[in-house]
Amino acid sequence: MTALSEHRLNTSRQTMSSLFRVLHAILKFLKQSDSDLKDDFICLSIHQIHKMPWNLFHQLHAGGLASCAKDSRFSTSNDSAQSRILTGSLLQLLGSLLDQSYLRDTDGQDMFVKLVDVVPKIASLSLGGQHDGSKSLYQYLKHKILMVMMRLKPYIQQDCSHIVSWLKLLRRYFGDLLHQPISQHIAKPENCLEDSPFLLDMVDLVESQDKSTRHLQRQAIYLFLSCSICLSYNRNDGALQCSCKRDECLLGHKVQGCSNHCNCFGLSEISDWFQKCYLNGSIDSKSSSFALSFLELYMEEDDMLFSILLQLLDAPLVFLKIANFETKELVGVKLFSSIFDPVHLFHLLLFLLHYDHMVLVDYLISRDVGVLCAQYLLRCLRLVSQSWHAFVDDSVYSTKIEKLNCKRQRISGDKDSDRASSSNQYKNGSGCDKEVEDSRKLFLDAKKCLYLLKRTLEDLQKKDLFPYNPKPLLRRLALKGTHSRQFQAHLSSSGNACAQNLGRNQPSPIPTCS
């Protein structure tokens, strides 16, 4: 930082990149040796990065500190690449600094909160301007920025000005990922026939590119929805402070108070995203197809799957926040809250797991996602007990979506009579019977899966093979409450059916992990 601040020093982008890499190497050494200096080094590094002279860093990034221009080894053709390597080195150091336990400095403030405001500055330097350099380097910088944001996410929720800043950052630099189609697709190379042998040579490359893009898409959508939902249902109870400036033209009308401003901003962001991803792109598809495709997007990464499921458990709170509004935009937000109904998503999750209770057990004992899975099941089963009719009869979900769709069409003046008539014909015809039958099957399959999960956890607990105390989860699986007798009766009937199918075989225990 001293080298950067001293104008008389012959500082170049290569020098600063090397210094950041040296700091990163020192940090790796301190981690491996478990040195007592590690925490002091992290605190000092964070403090120095926070107070970095960003105007000078920006000049250096743009080639303003002239030693780089004097150096004949670096031509202007690779200026863009060298600038991105500089910010890449800083992001690499930040990622390692954030991969630590909770730290506090001597003033009692959270150390990592100091870095929240740094992220938009680095994103502006890394992703702003023309993208004429290496595409892989640009993707790497996007990945690193999203990773830093993921690790800083717990520290932005103390002040909604940070959340608003990050939402603007995501919209500006990651809009292509946010509005990319949710459904999985494998892009085909151009100028290549469908059955050409050359297609087979390129398919691995194309699939790896799609996997990389979808990984970034998962992170960007998770951060976006997490920030938007947090702002949307902020009740101004003092838990979330706000120091942001009001934007009077945010939704085309003035709002009173900063808390209302932040609520409106969060709702507006959800509405805009949902409008582009669902209402405009999948208007003819069923709502369950969109929700199913959304879950399939996250099934490839277990930790992200349960992180987004935990976040979407708060979707009904957004619905309650706008229950009295009837504007076109907010009806779209109501549709978002209803499509991501937690009870229905739970049905879809079990469907994607093929109702295999052992997969849930594997999740629960996993070192990486065990805590997240247990948190999700505990909260979700509580909602199931509170929304018992929606769990038993999933047609309640589609009926609610249909009403909201009709309200949205009525408010927006949609006169697509063919679609409306076909929808009514489906409701009034034989499709209604099929929907009831499918809803019944969803419940029966889910019931059987939960029964076997409960039996397996009890068996593992008796043999002392479960890695932690499963009693809270077992109590939740009993669904004690208004509908406990109903559910226990259903479980008993499932148990009899399972016993007849399985004979004497009991749920197989999991071998002890070394």
Side-chain angles (χ1 to χ4, degrees), residues 22 29 32 40 44 123 125 178 245-246 286 296 323 345 396 405 483-484 487:
V22 168
F29 172 78
Q32 293 169 0
D40 292 334
L44 181 61
L125 293 172
L178 293 176
K245 296 180 180 179
R246 289 196 294 123
K286 294 180 67 175
E296 286 175 337
L345 284 182
V396 174
N405 263 323
H483 306 286
S484 60
F487 189 70

Side-chain angles (χ1 to χ4, degrees), residues 118-327:
V118 171
V119 175
K121 299 174 183 176
I122 299 177
S124 175
L125 293 172
S126 306
L127 308 177
Q130 297 181 349
H131 313 313
D132 51 358
S134 168
K135 183 178 179 180
S136 59
L137 179 56
Y138 185 67
Q139 287 286 91
Y140 172 80
L141 292 175
K142 276 193 166 185
H143 161 69
K144 282 295 183 181
I145 290 173
L146 287 174
M147 183 191 72
V148 168
M149 293 175 73
M150 291 284 290
R151 292 180 179 177
L152 280 174
K153 178 182 169 291
Y155 306 98
I156 72 168
Q157 299 177 4
Q158 301 176 13
D159 191 327
C160 63
S161 60
H162 293 151
I163 305 177
V164 170
S165 172
W166 277 27
L167 280 173
K168 292 178 179 179
L169 184 156
L170 289 167
R171 182 176 55 187
R172 180 173 182 179
Y173 300 114
F174 299 92
D176 56 332
L177 295 171
L178 293 176
H179 302 133
Q180 190 172 333
I182 298 295
S183 302
Q184 186 172 10
H185 68 285
I186 300 296
K188 294 183 179 179
E190 296 180 358
N191 303 324
C192 189
L193 296 176
E194 186 172 350
D195 296 326
S196 169
F198 297 102
L199 182 62
L200 298 177
D201 296 333
M202 301 181 68
V203 69
D204 291 338
L205 174 62
V206 173
E207 285 184 352
S208 65
Q209 290 174 345
D210 274 6
K211 286 181 179 178
S212 172
T213 302
R214 285 173 70 79
H215 170 71
L216 297 180
Q217 184 184 17
R218 279 188 283 270
Q219 290 183 317
I221 291 177
Y222 168 72
L223 284 167
F224 173 80
L225 288 180
S226 178
C227 292
S228 300
I229 291 175
C230 181
L231 278 184
S232 298
Y233 71 83
N234 173 30
R235 298 175 181 176
N236 198 23
D237 56 0
L240 184 63
Q241 299 177 0
C242 187
S243 59
C244 60
K245 296 180 180 179
R246 289 196 294 123
D247 185 353
E248 301 290 356
C249 302
L250 182 63
L251 292 175
H253 62 275
K254 294 184 178 181
V255 291
Q256 299 297 324
C258 193
S259 177
N260 289 336
H261 161 267
C262 292
N263 292 152
C264 291
F265 188 84
L267 293 171
S268 176
E269 290 297 300
I270 291 177
S271 177
D272 180 69
W273 174 79
F274 196 66
Q275 186 83 18
K276 292 178 180 177
C277 288
Y278 174 73
L279 298 180
N280 291 343
S282 307
I283 196 69
D284 295 325
S285 65
K286 294 180 67 175
S287 54
S288 347
S289 302
F290 181 82
L292 188 64
S293 298
F294 188 88
L295 280 188
E296 286 175 337
L297 173 67
Y298 284 90
M299 288 296 290
E300 300 170 25
E301 294 185 66
D302 298 339
D303 55 341
M304 290 295 296
L305 170 66
F306 288 104
S307 294
I308 195 68
L309 284 172
L310 279 167
Q311 189 61 66
L312 290 174
L313 288 176
D314 295 329
L317 298 176
V318 179
F319 187 96
L320 294 175
K321 191 72 179 179
I322 59 172
N324 298 322
F325 293 91
E326 298 294 340
T327 63

Side-chain angles (χ1 to χ4, degrees), residues 13 30 53 71 98 111-112 177 262 276-277 289 362 367 377 393 410 473:
R13 284 176 289 199
L30 293 176
D71 196 339
L98 291 168
M111 284 297 301
F112 295 155
L177 295 171
C262 292
K276 292 178 180 177
C277 288
S289 302
D362 289 339
R367 182 177 299 178
L377 287 178
D393 185 7
R410 187 167 61 250
L473 188 56

Side-chain angles (χ1 to χ4, degrees), residues 25-38:
I26 293 173
L27 179 59
K28 287 178 64 176
F29 172 78
L30 293 176
K31 285 183 186 178
Q32 293 169 0
S33 61
D34 197 21
S35 170
D36 294 336
L37 293 174
K38 181 181 65 174

Side-chain angles (χ1 to χ4, degrees), residues 304-373:
M304 290 295 296
L305 170 66
F306 288 104
S307 294
I308 195 68
L309 284 172
L310 279 167
Q311 189 61 66
L312 290 174
L313 288 176
D314 295 329
L317 298 176
V318 179
F319 187 96
L320 294 175
K321 191 72 179 179
I322 59 172
N324 298 322
F325 293 91
E326 298 294 340
T327 63
K328 175 184 175 181
E329 292 81 5
L330 296 185
V331 169
V333 179
K334 287 183 180 181
L335 194 56
F336 159 82
S337 298
S338 301
I339 284 179
F340 289 113
D341 175 74
V343 175
H344 181 71
L345 284 182
F346 185 53
H347 273 300
L348 293 181
L349 173 66
L350 296 180
F351 169 76
L352 289 174
L353 298 180
H354 305 289
Y355 299 99
D356 187 346
H357 68 287
M358 292 305 296
V359 177
L360 289 174
V361 175
D362 289 339
Y363 281 144
L364 287 169
I365 65 174
S366 168
R367 182 177 299 178
D368 297 324
V369 300
V371 174
L372 293 175
C373 180

